[in-house]
Amino acid sequence: MHAMSRLPWSFVSVRIAAVAGLTLVSCARGPDSGSLAGWNVLLITVDTLRADRLGFAGYEPAETPILDAFAGDGVVFENAISSAPVTLPSHASLMTGRYPPGHGALDNAYYSLPDDVPTLATVLRTAGYETAAIVGAYVLHGQFGLDAGFDRYDDFFRQPRPDEWEPRERRAGEVSARAGEWLAGRKNDRPFFLWVHMFDPHSPYDPPPPFNSRFAARPYDGEIAYTDRAIGTLLESLDGAGFGDRTMVVVTADHGEGFGDGGEKTHGLLLRTSTLRVPLLLRAPGVLPAGRRVEGLVSTVDLMPTVLDLLGVDTPTGVDGSSIAGAIRTGRAEGRRAYSETRLPANIFGWSMLAGSRNDRWAWVRGPIPELYDLDSDPGQTRSLHAERPEKASDLDRDVERVLGASRGGTTARALSSEEVDALRALGYAYGSEAPKPSGADPKERLPLWNRFDGLRDVFEAGRYAEAAIGLEELLNEDPGNYEARTLLGRALVRAGRVEEGLREFQALLEAGRARGRTGAIFAHALTDAGHPEEAETLLRVLCRSEPEDVDHPFNLGVLLLKQGRWKEARAAYEEAHRLGPEAIHVLAHLSISLSVGADPDSARAVDLIDRAVELAREDDRPLLAKAKVLSNVGRTEDARSLLRELAARRTLHGVTKKEVAKVMREIG
């Protein structure tokens, strides 16, 4: 692994049993073992939720009445630490009870959870549970492996817009509504495990009305307040379906947010309390003590074995966590340690990964610039003591060594075949260029570059492409192995009219093996913007073959083909996307449009599909605008006009503008 070359990493060849001993407590079941046998489980994970930005945690500006009341009715773990400040590996740890090296889903996008790793869903389904998940962001799409064990995995959240090529989230309100529908529609008496993921507090912070105006100066808090309301709606649905008094509800997060702590604005680069400490709440009416606060450090890998312990279901072998049910009774978790890591700096920016371990007092980070903090005297982690207290550093580093030594390796996307590589290199505007070399730098050294990059991304989003390109070129002169900056530079150059230079940047990424997934889609979009649709089509067809489970590759191909008037081929691409994602809203909308045009339209199916998209996207008006186009295409012009008049009369529109509605009105006539 190139980014680790500057570190004294050493590995052992066998899994050491002491990895599970990071918790330093007995794995025997506590007095609460089996006390919730036969109960349902509702797991709510909120993305990017800092533990200290909630009312019950003492944050006075918070508006979180639902979670505050929930904390009063249940158990709150005061010091829960995430295994990674990154969404996919953190959620994989929650579901498997393993640290990232033990489960293999090491980072977003480039890895997936292997099929042979037991999860909470696979164990509970084997135990007779009905299982379902509703997730709010593409990073947890089923193709990354977390769908294992779920009877239903609802990961279709994209909204339709003809020029969209990149994934989007869906609002917590929509996620909550979908979960409520599932609860209301259950037709059997089996216990259930339902996982609901809400993405809203993740950057960019953009709460919906009325939270956007009420929290104009604190949009992150606004996202949390909105999510709190959505959680309240979900809990009402749980009670309304008659399950409230027999369901253990767990609320937690994958990671926190930096807000400048240690110089980090968001998360993923550093291993600090601000991004690792998460809320962890459990409620089981009449069984778990209401209002109990549990002190002492615990890890998110402890959640899976704890849930199974309380249900009386055996925990599979190989987990790194252990049940903390006993700590609920005593009010304190004693003598535990927690491992955390981040590989995002290496995979995205070509810098170094970081790995660390902490206990109640000390936090250690292994990296090119090692860190050791006394959390009692220095909770803000401002002064590293690794030189003064080498014995503490060595003690905690042994934990890091044990976890990394037990690594199973990562499971990445399938590599391109030689034929596919040849096809990519045969693109008319793909230039031979040397792949950028990663620097392996410590992320702490690169924080000024990261903050500059973040600002340049805002410049790009504002449409100032030439300005963004100049700044990104300067940044890459200092950090040439920065993959993410090179991707954005390629886009900026193409948009600024420097087409050949922009495509050269994408070719450099291709040579580095980075033209997969999102980056591959962006490359194809750049080729289209540059006036080379044939090359974009070639790239997208290669991506469809090399990543056959990614619904967006055939979808993007369909967008490209339909723009060229090749409606029959576009329809075939959309049909493949629909096969992969039968309830993906963006696919339903675009397939519907393709079925409503051409020499062989299928008007009835087109209307059925767009009606389903409208039903699924209740908080977004874009499917309604697409429906107006479909109705016009199939000859129902007056119905289309009526729908557009209804949209135009609304005081507030979601996802579309009055100008866009007026444009479609003019097109229909």
Side-chain angles (χ1 to χ4, degrees), residues 165 528 533 536-537 540 555-564:
W165 290 62
T528 303
E537 180 182 344
L540 286 170
F555 168 76
N556 290 335
L557 179 61
V559 171
L560 176 66
L561 295 171
L562 196 62
K563 283 182 177 179
Q564 299 174 18

Side-chain angles (χ1 to χ4, degrees), residues 174-470:
E174 181 184 342
V175 172
S176 176
R178 299 277 283 168
E181 291 172 2
W182 184 85
L183 288 166
R186 293 192 71 242
K187 295 181 172 60
N188 63 70
D189 295 328
R190 295 159 54 199
F192 66 78
F193 168 47
L194 173 62
W195 169 35
V196 178
H197 165 252
M198 299 179 179
F199 191 68
D200 297 72
H202 197 285
S203 63
Y205 316 125
D206 181 29
F211 299 93
N212 57 347
S213 57
R214 285 172 46 202
F215 292 88
R218 296 183 290 116
Y220 176 75
D221 291 347
E223 294 273 32
I224 294 173
Y226 166 68
T227 303
D228 183 78
R229 186 181 72 175
I231 291 173
T233 301
L234 174 56
L235 295 177
E236 289 175 0
S237 297
L238 183 74
D239 291 338
F243 301 123
D245 60 352
R246 288 281 295 175
T247 300
M248 174 171 57
V249 182
V250 181
V251 179
T252 189
D254 55 351
H255 54 74
E257 193 75 319
F259 291 118
D261 180 35
E264 183 175 22
K265 290 183 178 179
T266 53
H267 60 270
L269 292 185
L270 306 181
L271 297 178
R272 301 181 69 86
T273 301
S274 56
T275 57
L276 293 177
R277 183 168 167 254
V278 296
L280 178 58
L281 301 84
L282 283 74
R283 188 189 74 179
V287 180
L288 298 182
R292 175 63 51 86
R293 298 292 181 108
V294 180
E295 299 178 346
L297 180 141
V298 299
S299 170
T300 52
V301 298
D302 297 325
L303 180 62
M304 184 250 216
T306 301
V307 169
L308 295 177
D309 184 15
L310 291 169
L311 296 176
V313 177
D314 289 337
T315 298
T317 60
V319 301
D320 295 314
S322 62
S323 176
I324 48 177
I328 296 174
R329 180 178 59 82
T330 64
R332 180 162 185 85
E334 297 281 1
R336 307 175 77 90
R337 299 186 181 189
Y339 169 89
S340 304
E341 70 169 44
T342 177
R343 303 187 189 228
L344 182 147
N347 290 329
I348 301 300
F349 300 109
W351 303 336
S352 172
M353 71 169 285
L354 299 177
S357 178
R358 63 173 58 200
N359 56 30
D360 281 321
R361 178 173 176 180
W362 296 93
W364 161 252
V365 179
R366 181 198 279 197
I369 302 174
E371 305 167 70
L372 177 71
Y373 300 104
D374 183 344
L375 300 175
D376 283 352
S377 63
D378 183 20
Q381 297 168 264
T382 60
R383 179 172 178 264
S384 177
L385 301 175
H386 74 278
E388 292 93 321
R389 299 299 300 271
E391 77 287 355
K392 291 294 182 184
S394 297
D395 176 42
L396 290 168
D397 192 58
R398 282 192 288 271
D399 298 335
V400 173
E401 187 64 34
R402 285 195 294 266
V403 175
L404 291 172
S407 176
R408 62 177 290 133
T411 301
T412 64
R414 180 177 73 83
L416 299 181
S417 68
S418 58
E419 292 79 9
E420 289 162 348
V421 171
D422 289 342
L424 292 175
R425 287 178 173 167
L427 297 178
Y429 285 82
Y431 295 79
S433 55
E434 186 178 354
K437 297 296 188 296
S439 68
D442 193 297
K444 295 184 289 297
E445 296 179 300
R446 291 293 193 259
L447 278 170
L449 288 177
W450 159 249
N451 291 330
R452 279 169 55 194
F453 171 77
D454 204 37
L456 289 167
R457 186 163 49 188
D458 291 340
V459 172
F460 176 89
E461 294 297 337
R464 290 146 51 197
Y465 304 122
E467 180 183 346
I470 292 171

Side-chain angles (χ1 to χ4, degrees), residues 30 83 94 101 129 192 295 307 353 382 462 491 499 505 538 556 579 592 656:
S83 67
L94 282 165
Y129 277 65
F192 66 78
E295 299 178 346
V307 169
M353 71 169 285
T382 60
R491 298 173 68 190
V499 175
E505 298 300 335
T538 297
N556 290 335
R579 182 188 69 79
S592 172
V656 298

Side-chain angles (χ1 to χ4, degrees), residues 92 95-97 113-125 145-150 193 304 308 316:
M95 291 296 178
T96 66
L113 184 69
D115 294 337
D116 63 342
V117 178
T119 69
L120 191 54
T122 61
V123 172
L124 290 179
R125 186 165 70 175
L146 285 181
D147 60 344
F150 285 103
F193 168 47
M304 184 250 216
L308 295 177

Side-chain angles (χ1 to χ4, degrees), residues 582-651:
E583 291 193 338
I585 297 166
H586 64 305
V587 174
L588 288 168
H590 285 267
L591 177 57
S592 172
I593 291 172
S594 74
L595 289 168
S596 70
V597 298
D600 185 25
D602 187 343
S603 301
R605 185 165 176 242
V607 173
D608 286 344
L609 290 172
I610 196 61
D611 282 344
R612 181 58 177 157
V614 170
E615 180 185 355
L616 292 173
R618 297 177 181 177
E619 293 193 354
D620 200 297
D621 293 321
R622 281 175 283 187
L624 287 171
L625 192 63
K627 182 176 180 178
K629 296 177 183 179
V630 170
L631 292 174
S632 176
N633 290 342
V634 302
R636 294 170 54 182
T637 306
E638 191 50 46
D639 289 339
R641 289 175 180 148
S642 176
L643 178 56
L644 289 168
R645 285 194 294 269
E646 177 190 334
L647 285 171
R650 290 187 181 180
R651 174 180 256 172

